[in-house]
């Protein structure tokens, strides 16, 4: 019997019990759709966290003093860059660079009289395009100006929790470059909300000149942060700006926490994907076994008429392939629609987004991302699992002796 006839028989056999075939097809489709939506959502969360961190905190490239350690937020002169303005000017002349500017980071305690909270001071150049995202996220008040000596900007969530607003005064305290405690009163000039909860609740901005004077660092800075027009140019720019006495860090170096978290988590997600595929495989195996038991007499007749065991096995494998392929096609369509919905609407997280901490810049809404390569492999592996699951029922049918099969009913 030719393969064409076997395909025809397999197709007609599936139509005998349409309800069961449709339910099995839907099981395959929903399993794949769920995997696509889950993986698309996870990919979107990782990418969003990474790009948020690059856009708001690390940039694509950073220049620092060799001894500077970001976790310590050191203000000691030997840990700071001694010519940040010159380095930034040189970088801004490069065609690959969108913006480069010095920044001074310092740990601080903000007090309102009734409450206090620890946060990080960002001494910034308000005119730099590097801080366009902050300027665009302004929700009330005004943005900073370079010559402003008494104003700061706070995140709206932080201001709301402290019960302060635009125009009110707060106190900032820090340990300056001389190792002495210092404090000063500042007026809240504006409130911003980037949507990154951990960032909005832990950052305070002031003009770079004022931050340098407050921390007594002279004209030194913690780093020069560089934002590029294209992320792919990172290695090229990093190599071009290498200079003695300056450490160059790429976005990969500055975002090790995010990258290591993704690498560790991927093994867990592969296990989850495998579990879902196994569930789908069990459903397929159960469907085919039921079909075999219902058609034992028919199998005996086919064998008595000369159909070989190999052909009987092929017939059931063809049935599994038809169910699997149809399920994959429907599932791919459903999964794509689900990913499209999640990429536009997303899943709100609210305050729960802050659980990742300042090193994991989760937005207040999770959005999915289309990852065609992963979706294609999920489809292929779903079909492979379906075919593997069908091997046992197909072999069971092929090993039936004609005489025993005819006597079964």
């Amino acid at each position: 019997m030719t393969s064409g006839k076997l395909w025809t028989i397999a197709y007609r056999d599936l139509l005998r019990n349409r309800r069961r075939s449709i339910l099995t097809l839907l099981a395959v489709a929903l399993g794949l759709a769920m995997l696509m939506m889950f993986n698309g959502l996870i990919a979107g969360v990782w990418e969003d966290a990474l790009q948020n961190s690059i856009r708001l905190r690390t940039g694509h490239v950073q220049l620092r003093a060799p001894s500077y350690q970001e976790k310590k937020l050191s203000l000691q002169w030997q840990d700071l860059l001694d010519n940040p303005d010159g380095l930034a000017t040189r970088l801004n002349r490069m065609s690959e660079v969108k913006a480069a500017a010095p920044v001074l980071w310092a740990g601080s305690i903000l007090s309102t009289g009734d409450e206090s909270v620890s946060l990080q001071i960002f001494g910034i150049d308000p005119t730099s395009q590097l801080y366009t995202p902050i300027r665009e996220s302004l929700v009330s008040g005004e943005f900073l100006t370079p010559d402003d000596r008494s104003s700061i900007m706070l995140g709206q969530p932080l201001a709301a929790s402290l019960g302060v607003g635009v125009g009110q005064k707060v106190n900032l305290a820090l340990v300056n470059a001389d190792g002495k405690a210092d404090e000063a009163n500042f007026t809240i000039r504006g409130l911003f909300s980037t949507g990154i909860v951990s960032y909005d609740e832990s950052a305070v901005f002031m003009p770079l000149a004022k931050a340098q004077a407050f921390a007594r660092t002279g004209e030194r800075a913690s780093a020069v942060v560089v934002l590029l027009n294209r992320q792919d140019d990172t290695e090229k720019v990093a190599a071009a700006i290498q200079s003695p006495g300056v450490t160059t860090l790429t976005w990969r170096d500055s975002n090790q926490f995010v990258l290591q978290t993704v690498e560790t988590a991927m093994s867990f997600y592969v296990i989850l994907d495998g579990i879902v595929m196994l569930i789908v495989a069990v459903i397929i195996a159960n469907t085919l076994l039921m079909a075999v038991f219902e058609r034992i007499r028919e199998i005996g007749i086919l064998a008595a008429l000369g159909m070989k065991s190999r052909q009987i096995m092929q017939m059931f494998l063809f049935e599994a392939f038809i169910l699997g392929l149809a399920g994959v096609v429907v599932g791919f369509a459903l999964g794509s629609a689900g990913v499209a919905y999640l990429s536009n609407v997303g899943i709100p997280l609210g305050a729960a987004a802050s659980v990742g901490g300042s090193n994991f810049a989760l937005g207040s809404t999770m959005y999915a991302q289309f990852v065609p390569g992963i979706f294609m492999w999920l489809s292929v592996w779903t079909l492979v699992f379906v075919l593997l699951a069908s091997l046992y029922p197909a072999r069971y049918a092929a090993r039936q002796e004609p005489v025993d099969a005819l006597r079964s009913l």
Side-chain angles (χ1 to χ4, degrees):
M1 186 177 292
T2 63
S3 295
K5 289 183 178 180
L6 289 176
W7 280 107
T8 303
I9 294 173
Y11 175 72
R12 289 176 178 175
D13 285 339
L14 290 175
L15 295 180
R16 288 183 182 183
N17 195 325
R18 297 188 181 186
R19 179 180 297 179
R20 184 171 65 199
S21 297
I22 290 174
L23 290 176
T24 304
L25 185 152
L26 286 176
V28 176
L30 292 176
L32 177 59
M34 185 177 72
L35 289 176
M36 288 176 60
M37 292 171 65
F38 176 74
N39 282 269
L41 188 62
I42 294 302
V45 169
W46 294 144
E47 183 65 18
D48 188 50
L50 178 60
Q51 294 305 321
N52 285 336
S53 181
I54 291 173
R55 179 171 57 95
L56 297 173
R57 194 169 62 88
T58 69
H60 292 106
V61 180
Q62 281 187 24
L63 301 182
R64 298 181 189 171
S67 61
Y68 186 82
Q69 297 182 31
E70 186 176 359
K71 291 183 178 179
K72 294 183 178 180
L73 297 178
S74 174
L75 294 174
Q76 299 299 307
W77 279 38
Q78 65 268 23
D79 297 328
L80 303 177
L81 289 173
D82 61 357
N83 184 29
D85 292 326
L87 292 172
T89 300
R90 174 188 168 193
L91 284 160
N92 281 313
R93 290 172 182 164
M94 299 178 67
S95 60
E96 296 88 355
V97 174
K98 181 177 182 180
V103 60
L104 182 68
W105 297 312
S108 177
I109 296 178
L110 182 147
S111 303
T112 63
D114 297 327
E115 295 185 60
S116 61
V117 62
S118 60
L119 41 70
Q120 182 175 337
I121 292 175
F122 287 72
I124 66 170
D125 176 5
T127 64
S128 174
Q129 292 186 56
L130 200 65
Y131 302 102
T132 298
I134 305 300
R135 187 178 292 105
E136 292 175 345
S137 65
L138 192 69
V139 293
S140 62
E142 299 177 351
F143 199 70
L144 297 170
T145 57
D147 58 349
D148 201 327
R149 298 293 177 175
S150 61
S151 297
I152 59 173
M153 288 180 59
L154 290 179
Q156 187 183 44
L158 175 62
S161 66
L162 295 175
V164 295
V166 175
Q168 292 184 262
K169 291 185 178 293
V170 294
N171 180 273
L172 284 176
L174 54 68
V175 177
N176 61 31
D178 298 328
K180 299 179 180 179
D182 199 359
E183 62 179 331
N185 290 322
F186 294 86
T187 302
I188 300 174
R189 184 182 183 93
L191 301 178
F192 64 89
S193 178
T194 63
I196 314 302
V197 180
S198 61
Y199 189 79
D200 294 343
E201 291 180 343
S202 64
V204 56
F205 291 92
M206 67 175 61
L208 178 60
K210 177 57 184 177
Q212 290 169 330
F214 185 31
R216 298 185 181 277
T217 61
E219 295 184 352
R220 296 173 181 256
S222 303
V224 173
V225 179
V226 186
L227 197 65
L228 304 180
N229 293 309
R230 295 174 62 253
Q231 188 167 307
D232 293 341
D233 291 331
T234 298
E235 300 300 333
K236 175 183 175 182
V237 172
I241 60 177
Q242 293 282 354
S243 58
V246 176
T247 298
T248 303
L249 302 176
T250 67
W251 60 268
R252 291 185 180 85
D253 301 319
S254 303
N255 290 280
Q256 280 296 311
F257 177 81
V258 177
L259 297 177
Q260 289 174 359
T261 301
V262 172
E263 184 178 347
T264 302
M266 284 309 296
S267 58
F268 175 69
Y269 299 135
V270 169
I271 293 173
L272 287 181
D273 291 344
I275 290 173
V276 174
M277 291 182 187
L278 282 175
I279 293 173
V280 172
V282 169
I283 294 173
I284 288 289
N286 181 65
T287 298
L288 291 179
L289 273 175
M290 291 176 64
V292 170
F293 291 142
E294 290 175 356
R295 292 153 52 191
I296 288 291
R297 184 179 179 86
E298 178 185 324
I299 292 171
I301 294 173
L302 291 174
L305 291 174
M307 181 178 284
K308 298 179 181 178
S309 297
R310 175 176 53 83
Q311 293 174 323
I312 293 175
M313 185 175 180
Q314 285 180 350
M315 181 177 66
F316 281 94
L317 289 176
F318 289 165
E319 289 184 27
F321 183 82
I322 293 171
L323 279 175
L325 184 61
V328 165
V329 171
V330 174
F332 196 90
L334 291 175
S336 297
V339 172
Y341 174 81
L342 290 176
S343 65
N344 289 296
V345 178
I347 300 176
L349 286 177
S354 61
V355 297
S358 59
N359 288 325
F360 203 83
L362 278 179
S364 56
T365 302
M366 293 193 304
Y367 293 99
Q369 181 183 30
F370 278 95
V371 276
I374 292 178
F375 293 167
M376 188 60 65
W377 277 113
L378 287 174
S379 301
V380 170
W381 278 110
T382 297
L383 188 57
V384 169
F385 269 67
V386 167
L387 293 176
L388 290 175
S390 67
L391 286 175
Y392 174 73
R395 285 193 63 191
Y396 182 83
R399 295 174 66 181
Q400 295 297 311
E401 292 293 335
V403 175
D404 295 333
L406 289 171
R407 289 176 179 175
S408 64
L409 293 175

